[in-house]
Amino acid sequence: MEEQKLNEIQLSQFAADKLKKQALEYKRLQESFSKRFSSNNNNQFYILSLNWLNQWKKYVSYDEIVANKAPCLYFGRITLDRINDDLQENVMKCFLYDPIKTHPWNTFMKQECQENVDYIVIDKDIWDFFTSYYSGISIIRPSNGNGKDKQVAVNLLRFKCVLIYPIIIKQISLDRMYKQTFESEVMQVDRNMKLKDYQELIQNTVHTFQGNFKRNNNVRIWRYVTDQKDPYKTLYNEIFKQVTQLDNKDDMCFDLIGELLTHQQYEYIEDIGIIDTNLIVFEFKDDYKPWCIRNQAIKVEGKCESCNGFRVLSFPCICRKVAYCSEQCKQNNYNYHSSRCDKHGSDDESIKSLIITSTSIKGIVGLSNLGNTCFMNSGTQCISNSYPLVEYFLKNLYFNEINMDNPLGTQGQLVKKVGSLIKKIWCGDKKIITPTNYKKAVGQFQPMFKGYHQHDSSELMTFVLDGIHEDLNRVKKKPYVETKDYDGRSDFIIAKESWLNHLARNQSIIVDLMHGQYKSTLKCPTCQEVSITFDPYLMVQLGIPSLKKRTISFKFYLDLFQYTSMTIPFDKNKNIPFKEYLKHLGDILKIDSQHLFGYIANKYTSYEFLDQNKSIIEIRKSSKKSNLCFRKLTQEEIQIKNKLPIQFSNKYYEYQSKKPFYQAGVFIIDGQMTLKQFHLFIFNNFKLFFSEYNQLNYQNQVLNQYYTLLYKTNQNYLNPCAFCNNKICNDCEVKFDDQKVEQIKNKVLKIDKNFNFEIVILWKQSPFKQVRLSDLFEHYVKQYKIEVQDTQLTNPISKSMNYNSSQGNVSLYDCLQYSQMPEQLNKENTWYCKVCKEHVQAFKSMQIYKAPQILIFILKRFKASNRLFKQKLETQVDFPINNLDMTDYLINSNIPSEFQNENENLNGEINKKKVIYDLYAVSNHFGGLGGGHYTAMAKNKFTNEWYNFDDSIVNQISEQNVVSKSAYVLCYQLRTDDSKNYQDKIMQRMKE
């Protein structure tokens, strides 16, 4: 088969002569290669793939041509690969040698290739010969020696390496290295090259980089040795540990335990003895910054922080961030540097030694903005002023509770950074702290907070407090806990059981102080089945009742054609099922709610008959681009048990086409009605159109004379008609026979489950004399004086919240009441009802069963207005600073830790007591979404005064300025007569 295909390829005489010429030219060049190789003028050679050469020889029929024989079968009939494609290796290069485009070492060749097996060595003449006809990749290698002793260094020394200069170290310091390691990069070099020459080559290469690099003496080469499997990751981790504490203004320097490679010690590259476990570090020198690497073998040189002279810096500060050329310079710079000097350090022992003294600032400390970190500073200030938690950190109790085995924790890394920051805020003497290490830890363990984008202060608080909990979880091995069903048991029994299950897996200072318990109720809208669960919470999210005056508009039909357009007030804060809303609507319309039928009339699609259990808010939302309609049922329709709603529309013939009357609605019939009865039922609804109604025989004198009844068909033109099975059917006639309507509908739905059953009344002749068919309904309305009204009504049964609508404020109590109201789940978040055996849009309500000692509220100011955008609610929420009475909003008035002293007959549900909280911190959000700003307000434990924390700026404020429409997160503490004794009890238990 292959031979046949080759024979089919025709080769012209011109092409054949050209190939023969190539074969003879190569023979001539190869015969003189030995002489050219020995020439002293020739010291650079090329590598040629032997596989490609053999392929080429077949292509030009080399062996036959040079032997003066007839060409072989492959002569001019095969496709050649690119030259050296099989020899080149793509590797991650550390950088490219200068000149970038032509330096031979920038092209890597596969290792362990053998001469005369995988490749041959050729000179420039032969290479130029081949590349004049074919494309390829040049692999150039230099030669060593002269004459017959000349050797070509084909297999270069390949080594692992890393490039270091200040910008790279800054990226590591800011934790912006995506992979948290150096790339596995390599370089290659001729073993026989002198180290001095190699260093000069690197120095020339430095200038191919963008940056302010020094012109001369700009490169140092180091050898880093480790016994770890991944030297790249190991070196990165060593650098990260040191530079993570550096600020933006600090010199990007770190200590390296390694060997400085110099030509005084090693003459040739081969003398260095680079092995696979070595990592060669290239260090480039910035013209305006010191060397990055510090090492005992060299003196530290750089710019003195005081005199700005470039000298040997022998007088470092205790913080190791700056150094000076003399003791005098160090003293001169004290006042300037002291504001950012972290003399305490961040190691465990330094932090443990910090205590509150007479010089301590005691919490009235600003936090520097590191770049869009106002959200972090605001949330952190709220945490830092949660004094029961702060006291735990100040006593160093957290060091003894770090859980190193918790896979959900950070092995104590996060909680140590939090503890370090809190102790510096309360025990330190600085009025401003730059929380660099804290920011890096937060970003390291929650990538969402990595970088410098704006985020949410409540999300920051949630992550940090959850992180503290997991790092300090006293449960070392979490057991499997099985949740039991509700089964009609009392709330207290289920709540206590759920809390004990929670404690079986979660115990920490955060659980002790901040975890409360929700009662969550789900109710099936179909069968009214109820599911009750009790879940722990860290923060309580409160919805804000809407102050905007909203309305709901609809058409109210007294019969099939007479309607009134109505607009009534709508309370968006009450999300109730449609059947409940019908009771309110019935009171307004003075009609029994059982006699109302509702639907949404869509202009171009089928009507939606409203589900009695659907949320009225969802119905109002979905009807905005359509018409919400209600119809008063007739006495006959009320008596029907098996009510079957059928959509209908009126049309008329004009110029052999159907024109719509825009008179449509819904019939309510008995599903057991026959088609004959259905015809007469419709005729009865049109009796006012016929002056001699009682004398007319419907079948003989009306049907198909004045109008025809049709099924609306072919709603999907890809499918045949569900009634007659004809693909080109355009509405089927409704027969006048004894078939039952419901049977026909069910039959059609079996064929197409998405089919919408709709009747078309197609008028052919006007029953009114001297009235055109197109004016039929207009004449009807005028003759019988049918009124179409537009009315606005007030809603007498609308009971609003007790907010002050004139001022545009709501209270925190309104938010608590509003957040406990049932809300229907959306279609993407359904609940499986065990009784109905299907997923349903249940109504869910959340109530606070128990509240903790520290109670944190999040006001839900950010709300999705559609799928893409959110809007911010600017409603002012009036919240009490003192005396927040939660008694009526808690089911059980005891805190969760008191479950152990409660039983079914004696508990906080039965013996309810007053529960009072006091505000101690607020996180504020100003402005809109994306471009807003966060601040915090907090009451200091020692001064008992309120302070505003705006990043690094701290001001004392009046208590009356705390409540504002910018309040977002509210932090309260339970007021108890023996609160201090309670705290001491917790602290004592921690020590045990």
Side-chain angles (χ1 to χ4, degrees):
M1 182 66 72
E2 182 184 4
E3 185 176 343
Q4 182 179 351
K5 287 183 178 180
L6 290 173
N7 283 325
E8 290 175 357
I9 300 174
Q10 299 296 318
L11 191 66
S12 68
Q13 187 60 46
F14 176 78
D17 292 343
K18 193 174 179 181
L19 294 179
K20 291 177 181 179
K21 182 181 177 183
Q22 287 183 35
L24 296 174
E25 179 64 16
Y26 174 69
K27 180 176 181 295
R28 183 186 66 79
L29 289 171
Q30 188 62 30
E31 288 173 348
S32 59
F33 171 68
S34 178
K35 183 178 180 181
R36 295 195 306 275
F37 181 83
S38 302
S39 172
N40 293 333
N41 296 325
N42 206 354
N43 57 6
Q44 200 172 61
F45 294 89
Y46 289 76
I47 307 302
L48 181 66
S49 165
L50 196 57
N51 180 57
W52 184 88
L53 180 61
N54 291 333
Q55 194 181 42
W56 174 81
K57 286 184 175 181
K58 280 186 178 181
Y59 180 65
V60 300
S61 192
Y62 178 78
D63 292 335
E64 289 76 13
I65 296 300
V66 298
N68 203 19
K69 295 181 180 178
C72 67
L73 180 64
Y74 300 100
F75 184 59
R77 293 184 175 88
I78 60 175
T79 303
L80 296 179
D81 298 329
R82 275 207 321 162
I83 305 174
N84 289 342
D85 255 0
D86 59 326
L87 294 184
Q88 186 191 24
E89 184 175 8
N90 292 318
V91 298
M92 294 188 68
K93 307 178 187 72
C94 192
F95 53 84
L96 298 176
Y97 294 112
D98 185 49
I100 292 174
K101 293 185 178 180
T102 59
H103 198 285
W105 296 346
N106 292 335
T107 304
F108 280 70
M109 178 177 162
K110 291 178 181 177
Q111 294 180 299
E112 300 178 358
C113 288
Q114 299 180 30
E115 189 173 4
N116 297 324
V117 175
D118 302 293
Y119 67 88
I120 60 171
V121 175
I122 60 175
D123 65 349
K124 191 174 184 303
D125 290 352
I126 297 178
W127 178 258
D128 289 344
F129 160 71
F130 278 123
T131 54
S132 65
Y133 296 103
Y134 312 100
S135 63
I137 302 162
S138 61
I139 302 177
I140 306 172
R141 293 293 181 259
S143 63
N144 300 307
N146 296 310
K148 294 181 180 180
D149 298 327
K150 186 184 293 185
Q151 291 184 341
V152 179
V154 176
N155 293 311
L156 302 176
L157 173 64
R158 187 181 299 188
F159 56 88
K160 301 172 182 175
C161 60
V162 164
L163 177 61
I164 294 293
Y165 52 89
I167 292 178
I168 292 177
I169 303 303
K170 190 168 186 176
Q171 294 293 314
I172 298 174
S173 170
L174 297 174
D175 197 17
R176 289 181 178 173
M177 299 286 275
Y178 176 71
K179 292 186 178 179
Q180 301 281 304
T181 183
F182 290 114
E183 297 286 0
S184 301
E185 296 172 334
V186 296
M187 294 293 283
Q188 61 184 2
V189 65
D190 185 354
R191 295 174 176 79
N192 297 311
M193 188 176 197
K194 289 187 176 183
L195 181 56
K196 183 178 181 180
D197 296 337
Y198 185 61
Q199 190 150 4
E200 288 179 1
L201 171 62
I202 304 300
Q203 287 178 355
N204 293 332
T205 299
V206 170
H207 301 299
T208 64
F209 285 77
Q210 290 185 349
N212 298 315
F213 294 107
K214 196 175 178 183
R215 287 187 172 276
N216 301 308
N217 299 320
N218 53 11
V219 174
R220 295 197 303 199
I221 304 176
W222 302 81
R223 174 175 19 210
Y224 174 75
V225 181
T226 178
D227 57 357
Q228 299 299 313
K229 290 183 178 180
D230 187 350
Y232 298 98
K233 180 68 174 176
T234 306
L235 177 61
Y236 179 90
N237 289 340
E238 285 189 18
I239 297 174
F240 182 79
K241 287 177 185 177
Q242 297 182 55
V243 303
T244 188
Q245 301 177 26
L246 299 178
D247 296 331
N248 286 342
K249 297 179 181 179
D250 295 330
D251 291 332
M252 296 294 118
C253 302
F254 64 94
D255 295 322
L256 178 72
I257 301 175
E259 178 189 3
L260 179 64
L261 304 178
T262 64
H263 63 270
Q264 289 88 355
Q265 187 175 1
Y266 301 105
E267 183 177 3
Y268 292 96
I269 296 291
E270 192 170 23
D271 298 338
I272 300 172
I274 300 173
I275 58 177
D276 193 52
T277 57
N278 292 176
L279 192 62
I280 301 300
V281 180
F282 295 102
E283 181 189 11
F284 289 0
K285 174 72 171 66
D286 190 288
D287 203 12
Y288 304 106
K289 296 173 184 176
W291 291 100
C292 295
I293 294 175
R294 294 185 297 232
N295 187 279
Q296 294 179 348
I298 53 175
K299 294 179 179 180
V300 177
E301 292 183 346
K303 187 164 63 175
C304 175
E305 281 290 310
S306 179
C307 68
N308 291 326
F310 193 84
R311 297 181 175 87
V312 175
L313 306 178
S314 304
F315 298 87
C317 177
I318 189 172
C319 69
R320 292 180 59 82
K321 291 185 177 182
V322 297
Y324 305 91
C325 63
S326 66
E327 183 65 33
Q328 185 62 45
C329 281
K330 185 176 180 180
Q331 294 298 325
N332 293 343
N333 198 52
Y334 175 77
N335 290 333
Y336 172 76
H337 176 63
S338 60
S339 64
R340 64 190 186 100
C341 178
D342 188 4
K343 62 185 178 183
H344 301 297
S346 296
D347 60 282
D348 292 351
E349 295 307 316
S350 298
I351 296 302
K352 285 180 181 179
S353 66
L354 283 175
I355 58 173
I356 294 180
T357 65
S358 58
T359 60
S360 298
I361 301 297
K362 301 182 182 68
I364 312 172
V365 177
L367 299 175
S368 298
N369 192 316
L370 303 175
N372 285 328
T373 56
C374 58
F375 77 94
M376 182 187 77
N377 293 343
S378 174
T380 303
Q381 291 286 11
C382 291
I383 295 173
S384 175
N385 282 278
S386 303
Y387 201 75
L389 178 64
V390 169
E391 195 172 13
Y392 170 85
F393 279 101
L394 295 182
K395 292 184 177 182
N396 292 327
L397 298 177
Y398 66 101
F399 282 105
N400 299 323
E401 290 202 312
I402 293 175
N403 187 338
M404 300 297 292
D405 303 320
N406 187 359
L408 300 178
T410 67
Q411 286 71 53
Q413 295 182 66
L414 178 62
V415 75
K416 285 183 180 180
K417 291 294 188 296
V418 175
S420 172
L421 180 60
I422 287 177
K423 294 204 72 175
K424 289 175 183 179
I425 287 174
W426 289 88
C427 303
D429 56 5
K430 286 188 179 4
K431 294 184 178 180
I432 300 174
I433 292 176
T434 303
T436 307
N437 298 339
Y438 172 69
K439 163 72 173 70
K440 290 174 181 175
V442 169
Q444 178 183 355
F445 298 111
Q446 176 46 275
M448 178 177 73
F449 297 121
K450 214 171 198 178
Y452 296 88
H453 297 291
Q454 182 70 283
H455 291 285
D456 188 301
S457 64
S458 68
E459 292 179 350
L460 181 282
M461 291 177 67
T462 301
F463 166 71
V464 171
L465 292 173
D466 278 340
I468 293 173
H469 160 65
E470 295 297 352
D471 273 355
L472 300 177
N473 198 341
R474 303 177 196 118
V475 180
K476 305 298 181 183
K477 190 174 181 180
K478 295 185 179 182
Y480 171 75
V481 176
E482 186 174 354
T483 304
K484 296 181 181 178
D485 291 334
Y486 167 56
D487 291 337
R489 294 179 295 163
S490 70
D491 281 359
F492 175 79
I493 293 296
I494 306 171
K496 184 172 182 178
E497 181 182 274
S498 300
W499 185 255
L500 293 177
N501 287 344
H502 179 58
L503 292 184
R505 296 172 60 84
N506 301 278
Q507 294 182 43
S508 71
I509 185 65
I510 300 299
V511 175
D512 296 338
L513 296 177
M514 298 182 172
H515 278 202
Q517 192 177 39
Y518 269 134
K519 177 187 177 182
S520 175
T521 305
L522 285 163
K523 187 175 182 180
C524 177
T526 306
C527 69
Q528 312 305 311
E529 171 72 8
V530 172
S531 171
I532 296 176
T533 57
F534 291 83
D535 306 301
Y537 65 82
L538 176 65
M539 299 182 186
V540 176
Q541 295 199 30
L542 297 180
I544 301 175
S546 174
L547 292 175
K548 185 177 178 181
K549 291 183 179 179
R550 287 180 166 84
T551 59
I552 185 169
S553 299
F554 57 89
K555 289 181 178 180
F556 174 54
Y557 285 84
L558 289 172
D559 55 32
L560 288 180
F561 307 112
Q562 183 176 357
Y563 70 87
T564 302
S565 292
M566 306 184 74
T567 300
I568 62 175
F570 181 77
D571 189 353
K572 190 176 183 294
N573 301 315
K574 292 187 176 181
N575 191 4
I576 57 176
F578 179 58
K579 61 183 176 184
E580 295 292 328
Y581 186 74
L582 283 178
K583 296 177 182 178
H584 299 330
L585 188 60
D587 291 340
I588 296 172
L589 301 174
K590 296 181 173 49
I591 295 174
D592 188 336
S593 62
Q594 299 293 322
H595 301 168
L596 287 173
F597 178 78
Y599 60 93
I600 295 175
N602 300 303
K603 190 172 182 180
Y604 299 109
T605 58
S606 298
Y607 289 4
E608 178 186 346
F609 303 130
L610 298 177
D611 183 351
Q612 294 283 301
N613 298 308
K614 191 172 182 178
S615 158
I616 185 60
I617 290 179
E618 287 296 315
I619 291 173
R620 177 178 176 268
K621 185 177 179 181
S622 61
S623 66
K624 281 186 176 180
K625 294 182 179 180
S626 304
N627 288 315
L628 178 61
C629 302
F630 293 98
R631 183 159 76 77
K632 180 184 177 182
L633 300 180
T634 64
Q635 285 300 319
E636 293 78 7
E637 290 172 334
I638 293 170
Q639 300 301 321
I640 298 173
K641 292 184 179 180
N642 181 25
K643 291 183 175 65
L644 179 63
I646 296 179
Q647 177 184 345
F648 74 87
S649 61
N650 282 277
K651 296 183 181 181
Y652 66 95
Y653 260 126
E654 186 175 83
Y655 304 117
Q656 296 185 342
S657 65
K658 298 172 185 175
K659 302 285 185 179
F661 268 122
Y662 300 109
Q663 291 287 343
V666 176
F667 293 127
I668 305 295
I669 67 168
D670 189 332
Q672 297 302 310
M673 185 180 283
T674 66
L675 291 180
K676 284 183 180 179
Q677 292 170 326
F678 182 51
H679 271 270
L680 296 174
F681 168 82
I682 294 175
F683 180 50
N684 182 58
N685 280 280
F686 285 103
K687 62 184 178 182
L688 291 179
F689 285 69
F690 298 91
S691 58
E692 299 176 352
Y693 170 77
N694 292 326
Q695 285 77 39
L696 291 173
N697 181 292
Y698 173 77
Q699 185 176 6
N700 298 325
Q701 296 177 290
V702 177
L703 181 62
N704 295 327
Q705 302 295 320
Y706 287 98
Y707 64 78
T708 301
L709 294 191
L710 303 172
Y711 299 111
K712 187 176 180 181
T713 60
N714 275 350
Q715 295 168 15
N716 182 349
Y717 287 96
L718 296 176
N719 299 327
C721 173
F723 296 94
C724 65
N725 204 32
N726 192 335
K727 279 195 174 183
I728 59 173
C729 175
N730 186 13
D731 298 340
C732 274
E733 184 177 347
V734 180
K735 295 179 180 179
F736 189 77
D737 60 21
D738 293 324
Q739 292 184 79
K740 291 183 178 180
V741 177
E742 193 171 42
Q743 289 178 344
I744 293 174
K745 182 179 178 181
N746 293 336
K747 176 186 174 183
V748 171
L749 290 176
K750 282 183 180 180
I751 298 172
D752 182 359
K753 64 180 180 180
N754 296 318
F755 186 84
N756 295 302
F757 198 76
E758 182 179 341
I759 297 296
V760 177
I761 304 166
L762 182 62
W763 291 86
K764 298 181 176 180
Q765 178 183 339
S766 173
F768 300 111
K769 293 179 179 180
Q770 297 180 344
V771 175
R772 290 192 310 169
L773 193 58
S774 59
D775 299 329
L776 174 66
F777 281 94
E778 185 179 349
H779 176 76
Y780 167 77
V781 170
K782 288 179 181 179
Q783 180 170 337
Y784 293 98
K785 297 180 181 178
I786 303 297
E787 295 185 4
V788 178
Q789 302 176 4
D790 192 349
T791 308
Q792 288 201 352
L793 299 177
T794 57
N795 188 350
I797 52 81
S798 179
K799 298 178 182 178
S800 61
M801 302 286 183
N802 294 320
Y803 51 73
N804 188 338
S805 59
S806 63
Q807 295 181 0
N809 297 359
V810 299
S811 70
L812 188 63
Y813 297 112
D814 292 330
C815 297
L816 283 161
Q817 180 184 342
Y818 174 64
S819 298
Q820 291 182 351
M821 295 176 67
E823 184 176 357
Q824 189 171 26
L825 302 177
N826 57 39
K827 293 180 181 179
E828 291 75 32
N829 187 28
T830 55
W831 170 68
Y832 184 77
C833 176
K834 293 182 179 179
V835 176
C836 298
K837 305 293 184 184
E838 64 178 351
H839 286 87
V840 296
Q841 288 181 253
F843 282 87
K844 182 177 183 180
S845 62
M846 302 286 287
Q847 296 169 282
I848 303 175
Y849 185 79
K850 282 198 174 195
Q853 183 184 354
I854 293 177
L855 179 59
I856 302 176
F857 295 113
I858 300 173
L859 300 178
K860 294 165 75 172
R861 292 198 176 277
F862 305 110
K863 131 184 181 182
S865 56
N866 55 48
R867 291 186 178 181
L868 297 177
F869 301 102
K870 284 188 176 183
Q871 62 180 8
K872 183 186 176 186
L873 299 178
E874 297 285 357
T875 308
Q876 175 155 325
V877 178
D878 293 327
F879 49 90
I881 296 175
N882 300 302
N883 302 309
L884 170 65
D885 190 350
M886 289 293 294
T887 310
D888 294 337
Y889 303 97
L890 302 178
I891 299 174
N892 189 318
S893 59
N894 293 331
I895 60 175
S897 61
E898 293 181 294
F899 262 127
Q900 58 185 347
N901 301 321
E902 295 179 292
N903 56 53
E904 196 167 5
N905 299 317
L906 186 63
N907 56 64
E909 286 188 51
I910 300 171
N911 302 320
K912 212 163 187 182
K913 61 186 180 183
K914 208 77 171 169
V915 183
I916 304 297
Y917 283 84
D918 297 311
L919 186 76
Y920 68 86
V922 181
S923 174
N924 296 311
H925 180 269
F926 300 89
L929 295 170
H933 179 62
Y934 287 92
T935 66
M937 295 176 179
K939 188 175 184 179
N940 187 267
K941 183 73 174 177
F942 288 89
T943 67
N944 214 33
E945 298 290 344
W946 280 90
Y947 295 87
N948 181 59
F949 297 88
D950 188 352
D951 289 330
S952 58
I953 302 172
V954 182
N955 296 314
Q956 185 175 333
I957 58 171
S958 170
E959 188 176 276
Q960 65 185 18
N961 295 328
V962 173
V963 179
S964 74
K965 68 177 184 179
S966 299
Y968 177 42
V969 181
L970 309 176
C971 304
Y972 283 90
Q973 184 173 345
L974 180 67
R975 184 193 297 176
T976 56
D977 295 334
D978 57 344
S979 58
K980 183 162 191 323
N981 294 334
Y982 177 74
Q983 275 302 310
D984 291 342
K985 194 186 298 181
I986 289 181
M987 297 301 166
Q988 185 60 37
R989 184 159 61 81
M990 298 295 103
K991 292 178 181 178
E992 295 171 359

